[in-house]
Amino acid sequence: MNFYIGIDFGTSGARLVITDPKGNIHQEVESPFPESSSPNELPVIWKTTLFDLIAKIPLELRRQTGAIAIDGTSATTLLCDRQGKPITSPLLYNDGRGVEIMEQSIAIAPENHPVLSATSSLAKLLWWQHHHREINTESQPLYFLHQADWLGFLLHGKLGISDYHNTLKLGYDVAHLHYPRWLTNEINRESNPLKLQLPEVLAPGTPIGEITLEISEQLNLPKHCVVCAGTTDSIAAFLASGATSPGEAVTSLGSTLVLKLLSDTPVNDARYGIYSHRLGNLWLTGGASNTGGAVLREFFSDRELETLSNQINPNISSPLDYYPLLKKGDRFPINDPSLPPRLEPRPDNSVEFLHGLLESIARIEARGYQRLQELGATPLSQVYTAGGGAKNPVWTTIRGRYLKVPMVQPIHTAAAYGAARLAYGVEKS
Ligand code: ADP
């Protein structure tokens, strides 16, 4: 029997799952990243973590591994020499140092494009171009890679391959499956001090090649084990849910509220921070609101959330109408940088207060899905839930009242499980 490995490189650590072809998990292992590491140490930490995770799988499973797929944090990027050795510290997913350069370069990208953000992969590439004096350019061209691309390379040895999820924020045209002219003209300008090689882009889950002989021997993996093109951590988490049809959505109730809706048509609107990833012949669209669990945590411990929620009657609506935020401003479903938090009137009774908060966040969620549909997305048909709020059945019932569609249990919520699904071929179109 073949087994499939999915590996998720998240923000605070990495996790691996190994499944059989039916999707049953046979082993799950995780490894947190050391807390205080300097940026230039990160590639070594990632590489060690990758190899350690694989080495933790029992030998009898490892020896039957058919395919591996890896997801990484979106827009975590590296510059490598021709041997694949990083020549600068990576720039992480949340690194916004490219903001000024992106603002100066705004004219190169079409209006509303997802590259137009301070933390996009393109902002990082342009930042490196502007800081070329700090970079050793002896071994040009330099390879621009994402975290998942580089980790995959360590296993299959083919340098310069990515997927169309990781490259969306680099500017790759996912509708036409090529790098657009505005981007290649910019990258290949004669006057550019850095000669950069953009990665070749494959559909996530496409087999790239077998692992190298060295890796096979070092990690006790079969010689014919294949490494597939990867994805980003948030898409891997979506894939883990089991959602596959247009209209199915995953709401993540973590610190913030993140909606993802599978649609027949792409929806993009930079005003609301809405963009679409390609998923085979479908599109994964969505948006993120600043409301969510972080506001709940301001007022209640997780234990209180559980005990107080159990005292709420979810079938009765609360008269309290809040817009729970930690500080002013939201982008989706309302785009208003000065939108004030609305948390008044606050009843003395904590159960009533929490009821008002849960109900208000549910209203914002419903408004979010409505916004996506107004902009052309496929109508909502069912909602899976991930994140800390998923374990609150009272909240699920309240949300169901507003969303008016079945609320279903995801198969799994761990991104590593979504990566394993990629490895066994849910998305090879
Ligand atoms: P993130 O990864 O975004 O930090 P998690 O997915 O770990 O967040 O979820 C943590 C959030 O879940 C916290 O902000 C907390 O308020 C919320 N949470 C935890 N338990 C419950 C519960 N029983 N009901 C509602 N929300 C909860």
Side-chain angles (χ1 to χ4, degrees), residues 253-256 293-294 296-297 302 305-306 358 387-389 391-392 395:
L253 298 173
S255 306
T256 57
L296 298 178
R297 206 162 252 178
D302 286 5
L305 285 174
E306 207 181 312
L358 297 181
K391 55 177 181 268
N392 186 331
W395 201 4

Side-chain angles (χ1 to χ4, degrees), residues 79-97:
L79 264 193
C80 298
D81 66 15
R82 274 179 288 189
Q83 277 69 48
K85 192 165 157 288
I87 56 158
T88 60
S89 298
L91 295 182
L92 298 188
Y93 62 100
N94 57 355
D95 192 317
R97 72 182 78 184

Side-chain angles (χ1 to χ4, degrees), residues 95-105 117-119 123-124 127:
D95 192 317
R97 72 182 78 184
V99 62
E100 275 170 33
I101 290 145
M102 203 64 232
E103 275 164 11
Q104 289 158 21
S105 319
S117 94
T119 56
K124 284 157 182 149
W127 189 87

Side-chain angles (χ1 to χ4, degrees), residues 1-6 17-27 57-69 221-222 225-226 420 423-424:
M1 174 153 71
N2 265 350
F3 286 89
Y4 298 89
I5 293 179
V17 303
I18 181 160
T19 70
D20 61 31
K22 292 201 173 117
N24 301 311
I25 296 179
H26 287 251
Q27 180 87 24
I57 306 169
L59 256 188
E60 73 275 13
L61 297 180
R62 222 187 310 162
R63 290 212 174 105
Q64 298 177 72
T65 304
I68 301 176
L221 288 163
C225 172
V226 163
Y424 68 80

Side-chain angles (χ1 to χ4, degrees), residues 402-421:
Y402 283 95
L403 297 171
K404 298 186 173 61
V405 293
M407 307 295 289
V408 283
Q409 277 287 336
I411 300 180
H412 216 286
T413 54
Y417 184 76
R421 281 173 68 93

Side-chain angles (χ1 to χ4, degrees), residues 373-392:
Q373 285 163 68
E374 282 161 10
L375 293 168
T378 301
L380 193 66
S381 62
Q382 59 181 28
V383 175
Y384 302 82
T385 312
K391 55 177 181 268
N392 186 331

